Amino acid sequence: MLMNGKKGVILGIANKKSIAYGIAKACREQGAEVAITFLNERFEKKLAPIAEELECSDKLYPCDVSQPEEIVVLRESLKEDMGEIDFIVHSIAFAPKEGLSGRFSDVSKEAFNVSMDISVYSLIEIARELKPIMSNKASILTLSYYGGVKYIPNYNLMGVAKATLEMTVKYLAEDLGKDGIRVNAISAGPIKTLAAAGIGDFSFMLKWNSAHSPLKENVTINQVGNSGMYLLSDLSSGVTGEIHYVDAGYNIMGMPAVEFDDNGKPHIAWNGETK
Ligand code: NAP
């Protein structure tokens, strides 16, 4: 199995719809040992059955990434329970509601700072604080979205955070490369999760993506999970600083495909029904 003997920590499982859950499952299926984290006690109970399923009930730790001391405590717990680790999954993002709809120029400094802190700076802090317990062939993975590269309606503040996150991946990759640590991101297509529910008109985004991607579908957490597992495994040992798209190919499209009716009138394919 591809992940036999590998140990890692996965941050960002909220429930079984989370992308991080898809990655955790794929890693477990390939023989990895995982630890998972929860935000606060309210979520501990919710995660208990998932931890049981992933066979890590004894490795379920609190970690609110906005609290630096919790990251340090996490490292010490991981050190005690797992020794060295081989991978980290950072599948965390947050923006206040005001940053995910409406006029972009109205966003407050508080909203801007909190989204950058939780969605971006946490990756740097986790990489730095967990470095002492990482093996010299370790891999870090984070999650991005196309809204960090091009304008996407309502993605607003999170788009700016993802742009910063993608450059953070590249600078971290260079910096940690000398320690044998790889850093990559998956830019996933839209998936209906708890975090996604906060984005204005998200269901429209899903329809648009499936209609206009080459594969004419939306990706699943299993697909993102398998690609994530590849980036965490030795199969990708020559890959770092990469933003890997798992989006049914949507990002390659410069213009939606045009179809013509029997009278030669062009129209844009919408939700598959017109095909
Ligand atoms: P999700 O299931 O809601 O996961 C988001 C996770 O972030 C939750 O577990 C949440 O914890 C955690 N989180 C928020 N603030 C935190 C904090 N201060 N400390 C620790 N954890 C915190 O949604 P998801 O869609 O899987 O999101 C995972 C990642 O994928 C995010 O970076 C997201 O931007 C990215 N992504 C999502 C999509 C999509 O369409 N869904 C597409 C591309 C990229 P709680 O739930 O406990 O608050």
Side-chain angles (χ1 to χ4, degrees), residues 2-71:
L2 293 169
M3 297 292 278
N4 252 349
K6 299 261 187 214
K7 294 178 280 184
V9 60
I10 298 179
L11 297 96
I13 301 182
N15 54 41
K16 286 193 172 189
K17 291 184 172 167
S18 297
I19 292 175
Y21 173 72
I23 299 172
K25 240 176 31 154
C27 289
R28 286 289 301 133
E29 278 161 18
Q30 289 299 323
E33 190 185 323
V34 299
I36 64 174
T37 65
F38 56 90
L39 182 59
N40 55 41
E41 286 115 50
R42 204 154 62 81
F43 295 95
E44 185 173 9
K45 256 202 199 126
K46 276 193 181 169
L47 278 201
I50 293 180
E52 201 171 315
E53 182 198 325
L54 298 171
E55 295 179 86
C56 64
S57 300
D58 55 339
K59 292 186 275 310
L60 173 60
Y61 310 109
C63 188
D64 177 344
V65 297
S66 68
Q67 308 299 316
E69 64 283 2
E70 293 200 13
I71 298 175

Side-chain angles (χ1 to χ4, degrees), residues 11-15 17-20 38-40 43 63-66 90-94 118 142-145 155 158 162 165 186-196 199 202:
L11 297 96
I13 301 182
N15 54 41
K17 291 184 172 167
S18 297
I19 292 175
F38 56 90
L39 182 59
N40 55 41
F43 295 95
C63 188
D64 177 344
V65 297
S66 68
H90 171 276
S91 187
I92 287 171
F94 175 77
I118 293 174
T142 188
L143 272 301
S144 191
Y145 176 61
Y155 204 60
M158 196 46 74
K162 292 305 189 195
L165 182 73
I186 282 182
S187 181
I191 302 176
K192 206 168 176 189
T193 62
L194 213 58
I199 301 163
F202 186 74

Side-chain angles (χ1 to χ4, degrees), residues 122-161:
S122 62
L123 177 67
I124 302 172
E125 200 157 28
I126 287 165
R128 184 182 62 241
E129 296 303 333
L130 267 52
K131 190 158 88 66
I133 60 161
M134 295 193 77
S135 71
N136 60 4
K137 266 173 74 183
S139 177
I140 300 177
L141 176 68
T142 188
L143 272 301
S144 191
Y145 176 61
Y146 191 53
V149 176
K150 300 275 174 164
Y151 168 80
I152 298 282
N154 294 315
Y155 204 60
N156 295 11
L157 191 46
M158 196 46 74
V160 177

